[in-house]
């Protein structure tokens, strides 16, 4: 487990901002898995039981138990005490989950992402927040086809202009775009209803949302980090 500082010193983000926690699951022993599993509520256990593969059930248990642990730590830092197993959740329109804290006046916003071998939790006191974690190995299939499905026109042009060089580098750049787009959509809480070509990012010198056909792009903070073989992205916008 580690805390990941996603902010740079020259970032325009002010105030406490978001906190990102990352858990690497490689080599996790059975006792730790059972500890996280014991924190789940009945609804989470039902969702876990629907998963067909044991590896997916373990990933679900650890990721959601880790989320609960991170929320309890955030509550403690805010002056409250909540056992990780006591948190309750609701789902807003669009499918974005929100927290129902038991017995304290603490309503953080959060986002959870997990991939095979890693879980990431982003938490903030208010605003909109999304995090995405993906393994950044080259996928089967043609990069051009993946870009056509997943990226906006200007993102595709940037990516495909580089694809004749290092193929692995092109795939890494694709995952930078992909995780940023996933994190942004999760922060908005709109799920798959938002077309991925309706908004676009620029990666350098820092991730920036340069176009969104549906809303203003001002006030957003984005970050992208490599953690081992994984790519993490954060999207956050405060209420101010």
């Amino acid at each position: 487990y580690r805390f990941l500082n996603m902010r740079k010193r020259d970032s325009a983000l002010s105030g406490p901002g978001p906190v990102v926690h990352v858990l690497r699951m490689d080599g996790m022993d059975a006792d730790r898995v059972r500890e996280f599993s014991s924190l789940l509520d009945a609804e989470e256990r039902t969702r876990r039981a629907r998963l067909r593969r044991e590896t997916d059930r373990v990933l679900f248990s650890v990721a959601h138990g880790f989320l609960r642990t991170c929320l309890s730590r955030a509550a403690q830092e805010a002056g409250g005490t909540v056992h990780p197993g006591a948190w309750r959740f609701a789902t807003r329109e669009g499918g974005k989950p929100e927290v129902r804290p038991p017995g304290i006046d603490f309503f953080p916003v959060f986002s959870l992402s997990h991939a095979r071998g890693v879980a990431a939790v982003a938490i903030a006191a208010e605003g909109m927040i999304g995090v995405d974690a993906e393994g950044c190995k080259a996928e089967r299939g043609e990069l051009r086809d993946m870009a056509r499905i997943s990226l906006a026109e200007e993102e595709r042009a940037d990516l495909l202009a580089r694809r004749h060089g290092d193929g692995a580098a092109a795939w890494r750049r694709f995952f930078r775009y992909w995780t940023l787009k996933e994190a942004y959509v999760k922060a908005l809480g709109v799920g798959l209803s938002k077309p991925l070509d309706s908004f676009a990012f620029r990666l350098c010198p820092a991730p920036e949302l340069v176009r969104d056909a549906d809303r203003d792009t001002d006030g957003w903070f984005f970050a992208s980090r490599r953690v081992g073989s994984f790519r993490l992205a954060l999207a956050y916008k405060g209420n101010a």
Side-chain angles (χ1 to χ4, degrees):
Y1 160 78
R2 64 182 291 196
F3 162 75
L4 187 63
N5 183 4
M6 300 286 279
R7 292 197 282 178
K8 294 183 177 180
R9 290 183 178 180
D10 59 352
S11 169
L13 186 64
S14 60
V19 173
V20 179
H21 305 273
V22 180
L23 179 69
R24 295 292 299 271
M25 303 182 199
D26 301 335
M28 182 174 292
D29 60 48
D31 288 341
R32 191 82 190 280
V33 173
R34 282 192 291 269
E35 179 183 343
F36 281 125
S37 298
S38 70
L39 303 176
L40 306 188
D41 63 17
E43 190 272 338
E44 288 168 319
R45 292 194 295 272
T46 298
R47 290 169 59 194
R48 179 184 62 189
R50 296 193 189 109
L51 300 173
R52 297 179 62 183
R53 295 187 295 184
E54 175 64 17
T55 54
D56 292 334
R57 292 192 291 270
V58 169
L59 177 59
F60 182 95
S61 297
V62 172
H64 286 261
F66 181 56
L67 167 63
R68 289 169 166 275
T69 302
C70 293
L71 286 170
S72 290
R73 176 176 175 177
Q76 184 177 30
E77 292 174 351
T81 301
V82 180
H83 185 275
W87 294 97
R88 295 295 178 264
F89 304 95
T91 302
R92 298 193 331 227
E93 183 179 354
K96 187 173 179 63
E98 61 183 11
V99 74
R100 291 284 185 262
I104 64 169
D105 186 18
F106 180 61
F107 296 88
V109 292
F110 70 92
S111 181
L112 168 66
S113 181
H114 52 79
R116 193 65 56 82
V118 70
V121 173
I123 300 175
E126 46 80 26
M128 295 184 286
I129 194 167
V131 70
D132 189 54
E134 302 286 347
C136 51
K137 294 181 180 179
E139 296 285 328
R140 294 180 179 178
E142 171 62 42
L143 181 60
R144 180 186 295 273
D145 294 335
M146 293 293 291
R148 177 178 52 80
I149 295 169
S150 308
L151 303 184
E153 181 178 357
E154 49 267 68
E155 296 166 336
R156 292 196 299 271
D158 170 63
L159 184 70
L160 297 177
R162 304 165 186 267
R163 73 186 181 96
H164 296 294
D166 183 350
W171 275 107
R172 287 194 296 270
R173 195 167 186 85
F174 169 81
F175 279 111
R176 289 182 67 189
Y177 278 123
W178 173 251
T179 53
L180 284 164
K181 294 173 85 72
E182 284 283 298
Y184 180 55
V185 168
K186 290 173 72 173
L188 294 175
V190 295
L192 298 176
S193 65
K194 185 171 181 61
L196 293 175
D197 61 356
S198 68
F199 61 100
F201 283 92
R202 181 166 52 226
L203 297 182
C204 295
E208 179 185 2
L209 182 66
V210 295
R211 175 176 64 82
D212 188 328
D214 303 318
R215 52 180 49 81
D216 184 18
T217 61
D218 291 339
W220 283 93
F221 170 79
F222 298 96
S224 178
R225 296 287 186 274
R226 182 88 178 264
V227 179
S229 61
F230 300 94
R231 172 60 63 174
L232 268 66
L234 171 72
Y236 174 70
K237 184 175 184 179
N239 289 338

